[in-house]
Amino acid sequence: QVQLVESGGELVEAGGSLRLSCAASGRTFNSYRMGWFRQSQGKEREFVAAIRWSRGARATYYADSVKGRFTISGDNVKNTVYLQMNSLKPEDTAVYYCALDPALLGGYDYWGRGTQVTVSS
């Protein structure tokens, strides 16, 4: 059983930085995609960023709203994916979730419980 555990969310002032972590346990995968999503109060969950590993090659993807401010990275030894968030804005306030697509079949099969990020103005 795969488990994903997010950490790193907290209250930060606008313009500040945070690094979120998502630790995966239970299995290892040769090719996979790990994504970060967020959901703010009253809104639908939205895609933030993803990292894709396949045949030793890595690719990253970002929502337009976070390009240039957020960076996704991964450590395959630690089975952990990170989301470095810089120049945070109040509109970045949300619960951030990580999710795993374990076979690159298009769907995220596993989800974490989320970590709260609050950006004060």
Side-chain angles (χ1 to χ4, degrees):
Q1 182 70 15
V2 174
Q3 288 189 327
L4 303 177
V5 179
E6 303 95 334
S7 62
E10 61 181 72
L11 173 64
V12 64
E13 290 185 352
S17 298
L18 283 176
R19 189 177 80 157
L20 305 184
S21 300
C22 174
S25 62
R27 284 180 58 187
T28 58
F29 305 94
N30 293 324
S31 297
Y32 65 90
R33 180 177 53 158
M34 188 77 83
W36 284 98
F37 294 78
R38 67 187 181 186
Q39 186 168 20
S40 53
Q41 199 166 10
K43 294 185 178 181
E44 293 187 354
R45 185 172 59 199
E46 63 175 354
F47 168 78
V48 175
I51 186 166
R52 180 179 185 271
W53 288 96
S54 178
R55 300 177 182 179
R58 186 194 71 172
T60 57
Y61 309 88
Y62 298 94
D64 288 343
S65 59
V66 306
K67 278 181 183 177
R69 299 189 299 123
F70 291 10
T71 302
I72 189 170
S73 62
D75 185 331
N76 282 341
V77 175
K78 295 182 179 180
N79 289 331
T80 300
V81 171
Y82 305 99
L83 185 68
Q84 178 66 42
M85 305 186 296
N86 298 329
S87 302
L88 282 162
K89 304 174 182 179
E91 50 263 44
D92 294 318
T93 295
V95 178
Y96 284 71
Y97 300 89
C98 66
L100 173 66
D101 169 9
L104 299 179
L105 296 178
Y108 288 95
D109 295 337
Y110 302 98
W111 291 82
R113 293 188 175 183
T115 184
Q116 176 71 48
V117 172
T118 304
V119 184
S120 64
S121 56

